[in-house]
Amino acid sequence: MKKNVKLQSFITIGMLSSISFLLMLFNFPIPPFPAFLEVDFSDMPALIAAITMGPVAGILVELFKNVLDWIFSGTPTGVPVGHIANFTTGILFILPVSFIFNRFKTTAGLVGGLATGTVVMAVGMSVLNYVVFLPMYTYFLGMEPVVGDSLYKMIVAGILPFNIVKGILLTAIMAFLFTTMRKWIDRQRSMYIAK
């Protein structure tokens, strides 16, 4: 029986990763944020994996979708900086949701987790973009590095509010999905997550 559940979990993770990869292709900018900041809904399958099978499943979906996108779409820098950033963004969002929902197992717990995930993602990616990702982008693209006030303004006026808006959109969609799929989610959790 355990072997069947393990195999089924691998199949489900693979299926959710494929859906996540396809959703990643349908990205779009949100004016007035910088054009390089694009929203997609590819974190939704990873969120579903995290709350039904546990945080490791969500992390694997985030990893596989980014590997697939890197293989099929490539990267302008030659180095998958954007994919690493996307993976990190997804992890910062889904892990708080998974941990808080697993503790409370209610709609309020899910919404609280989504709100926490939004804050963690927005603040975490602001710091990481300031310290790691934006310097890496400019270095690998051979561009003049963005420093000082320009970098600070880009983070505070662009990246931070963008990730808050993205988190709000994901929260609204996930809250709707949860209310419509609650019975299915509970069945999956009873199968995959040990009591």
Side-chain angles (χ1 to χ4, degrees):
M1 182 68 178
K2 277 190 174 179
K3 271 189 178 178
N4 289 341
V5 171
K6 201 169 187 180
L7 177 62
Q8 190 169 340
S9 70
F10 289 145
I11 293 167
T12 304
I13 288 168
M15 181 187 69
L16 289 170
S17 299
S18 301
I19 294 168
S20 192
F21 162 63
L22 292 173
L23 288 172
M24 201 172 180
L25 300 175
F26 298 99
N27 51 39
F28 55 92
I30 302 178
F33 299 114
F36 69 88
L37 296 172
E38 295 181 320
V39 171
D40 64 62
F41 299 112
S42 63
D43 291 323
M44 300 311 300
L47 261 176
I48 290 169
I51 67 171
T52 57
M53 292 185 280
V56 174
I59 291 168
L60 288 173
V61 172
E62 290 286 353
L63 176 65
F64 294 148
K65 75 156 184 190
N66 277 290
V67 169
L68 285 168
D69 191 69
W70 182 32
I71 290 168
F72 287 101
S73 303
T75 171
T77 63
V79 178
V81 179
H83 295 95
I84 295 168
N86 185 284
F87 175 72
T88 307
T89 303
I91 298 304
L92 289 173
F93 185 63
I94 68 169
L95 287 184
V97 180
S98 175
F99 289 129
I100 292 172
F101 179 72
N102 282 331
R103 181 172 171 80
F104 296 103
K105 301 176 185 70
T106 62
T107 304
L110 178 69
V111 172
L114 290 163
T116 304
T118 298
V119 172
V120 170
M121 173 181 67
V123 173
M125 286 312 293
S126 295
V127 172
L128 288 171
N129 270 295
Y130 188 85
V131 176
V132 180
F133 294 123
L134 287 175
M136 281 176 71
Y137 263 124
T138 54
Y139 175 78
F140 286 116
L141 287 172
M143 294 167 55
E144 195 69 32
V146 182
V147 293
D149 283 346
S150 298
L151 180 57
Y152 180 77
K153 283 177 187 171
M154 184 182 289
I155 299 293
V156 172
I159 291 169
L160 179 64
F162 171 82
N163 279 315
I164 291 171
V165 169
K166 177 181 175 180
I168 290 168
L169 288 172
L170 292 173
T171 296
I173 293 168
M174 189 62 203
F176 171 76
L177 287 177
F178 184 74
T179 56
T180 57
M181 298 168 60
R182 180 68 192 261
K183 287 182 181 175
W184 179 84
I185 287 170
D186 288 341
R187 279 200 307 272
Q188 299 304 303
R189 284 176 57 78
S190 67
M191 186 190 313
Y192 294 117
I193 297 178
K195 299 283 187 285

